[in-house]
Amino acid sequence: MTAVIRPSTGAAYSKLLGVGGYRPKRIVTNEELCTWLDSTDEWIRERSGITERRWAGDDETVVSMAVEASRKALAHAGIAAEQIGAIVLGTITHPFQTPSAAAEVAYLLGATNAGAFDTSAACAGFCYGIAIADGLIRNGTSEYVLNIGVEKLTDFIDKTDRGTGFIFADGAGAVVMGPSAEPAIGPTIWGSDGSQRDVIIAEPDWVTLRREGGDWPVVKMQGQRVFRWAVGEMANVCRQALDAAGVSPEDLDVFIPHQANMRITDAMIRSLHLPEHVVVARDIALQGNTSAASIPLAMARLYENNEVHSGQTALLVGFGAGLVYAAQVVTLP
Ligand code: UT7
């Protein structure tokens, strides 16, 4: 006889309850960068919108930065670490093959009741995490979920590479998500295109490195190909997320795209015909591109600058190595 299994039942909806970020102490200006990179302040500003970036020191690790960002998000949400039922941590730069960063973060936070795991969805990691957390809360697996995006990209770039050395940076951002009586997270539009795996790739892989020797793996990026893909496809992904949520560009208050390049953000705004009143996150100017951390860090800065408030409607979109992408409309915490 087949036993009847009682399924888990969760909240009707989920929502964002709090956000927090951690920025490394060291500020690296374009001027300083150009003492070792063959470039200029003017070129970097014009082509990427970056004026300075944050780079982590030896004492600032993927785990320590994630813990700091999470503490702030928990405080903003008014939730204790023991209430967290799951930690979803997006990163591509945790320097341990195993165990996960998430399990250590849970331990250090005192999140003693949390299942914890890392995801590898690069610059879409945070938006992937929102979809996962929404599911965990609504199916009843977890009441509260910590969704973290964290990167220490400076461990995995060649700082003299003109294609990546000026753009990538370090940091962490986190949100607490929990149950809601009202809808506050729209459907996630996501996808992947592994046929373009080579356009952003950390090489060599560990096995090749062990077998053949060679240099430490660093992220290599075919910038123009990624740029064309992002500008060509991501506005359409945003439109689908807006349509799926039943929200028009006029209804939108805030746009928080992955902080890849200011020119990509501007191209998406034009393509989406976003009205003037929409507040746009431009964190990249002072932070650089922090992959999975970029969206929650950008969100945190909007609060610090009093540019947004709780209850506003925001469109999020992440895209990067894989290639992968994800977008959704959310109510701000
Ligand atoms: O976060 C993950 C997703 N990543 C992205 O979305 C990044 C997408 N790509 C980009 O943001 C841009 O491709 C970059 C900012 C990385 C590069 O900008 P670009 O406009 O695509 O530059 P480019 O590679 O087409 O190079 C343009 C020119 C070239 O000179 P010529 O051939 O026109 O004379 C390059 O040699 O600029 C030169 N160049 C540089 N000059 C000064 C390339 N890199 C540099 C540099 N400094 N660092």
Side-chain angles (χ1 to χ4, degrees), residues 39 43 47 123 162 221 223-224 226 258 260-261 263-264 289:
S39 189
W43 190 94
R47 307 308 285 180
C123 312
R162 291 172 103 210
M221 178 167 72
Q224 277 197 15
V226 184
H258 165 47
N261 182 322
R263 290 190 294 137
I264 295 177
N289 176 338

Side-chain angles (χ1 to χ4, degrees), residues 145-202:
V145 180
L146 201 45
N147 175 27
I148 305 167
V150 54
E151 302 291 1
K152 191 170 175 182
L153 280 151
T154 50
D155 279 342
F156 294 97
I157 58 169
D158 170 357
K159 289 171 185 155
T160 64
D161 175 2
R162 291 172 103 210
T164 55
F166 66 93
I167 203 163
F168 290 120
D170 308 326
V175 292
V176 176
M177 293 175 60
S180 173
E182 308 291 334
I185 307 284
T188 295
I189 304 299
W190 69 3
S192 65
D193 179 7
S195 74
Q196 299 200 65
R197 68 184 284 277
D198 57 323
V199 300
I200 312 175
I201 188 164

Side-chain angles (χ1 to χ4, degrees), residues 11-193:
Y13 308 106
S14 78
K15 65 180 173 187
L16 304 183
L17 295 167
V19 61
Y22 177 82
R23 298 178 199 277
K25 290 185 277 293
R26 181 175 171 207
I27 295 172
V28 179
T29 62
N30 289 345
E31 198 182 23
E32 183 188 346
L33 195 88
C34 291
T35 60
W36 61 80
L37 185 78
D38 177 16
S39 189
T40 62
D41 172 46
E42 190 190 9
W43 190 94
I44 295 170
R45 279 176 203 256
E46 228 169 65
R47 307 308 285 180
S48 71
I50 300 171
T51 59
E52 60 188 44
R53 75 278 296 136
R54 297 291 183 119
W55 280 7
D58 290 344
D59 58 332
E60 294 169 309
T61 66
V62 163
V63 168
S64 77
M65 294 191 290
V67 166
E68 291 304 314
S70 299
R71 288 207 174 108
K72 289 188 195 163
L74 287 164
H76 186 204
I79 296 293
E82 308 85 71
Q83 289 174 273
I84 296 296
I87 295 182
V88 185
L89 186 151
T91 190
I92 54 166
T93 50
H94 185 47
F96 289 81
Q97 187 76 39
T98 195
S100 70
E104 193 177 348
V105 169
Y107 166 68
L108 293 171
L109 285 173
T112 44
N113 300 305
F117 59 98
D118 296 354
T119 62
S120 175
C123 312
F126 178 76
C127 291
Y128 270 53
I130 287 188
I132 296 165
D134 179 55
L136 291 172
I137 292 163
R138 293 173 67 184
N139 74 24
T141 303
S142 309
E143 190 176 11
Y144 296 101
V145 180
L146 201 45
N147 175 27
I148 305 167
V150 54
E151 302 291 1
K152 191 170 175 182
L153 280 151
T154 50
D155 279 342
F156 294 97
I157 58 169
D158 170 357
K159 289 171 185 155
T160 64
D161 175 2
R162 291 172 103 210
T164 55
F166 66 93
I167 203 163
F168 290 120
D170 308 326
V175 292
V176 176
M177 293 175 60
S180 173
E182 308 291 334
I185 307 284
T188 295
I189 304 299
W190 69 3
S192 65
D193 179 7

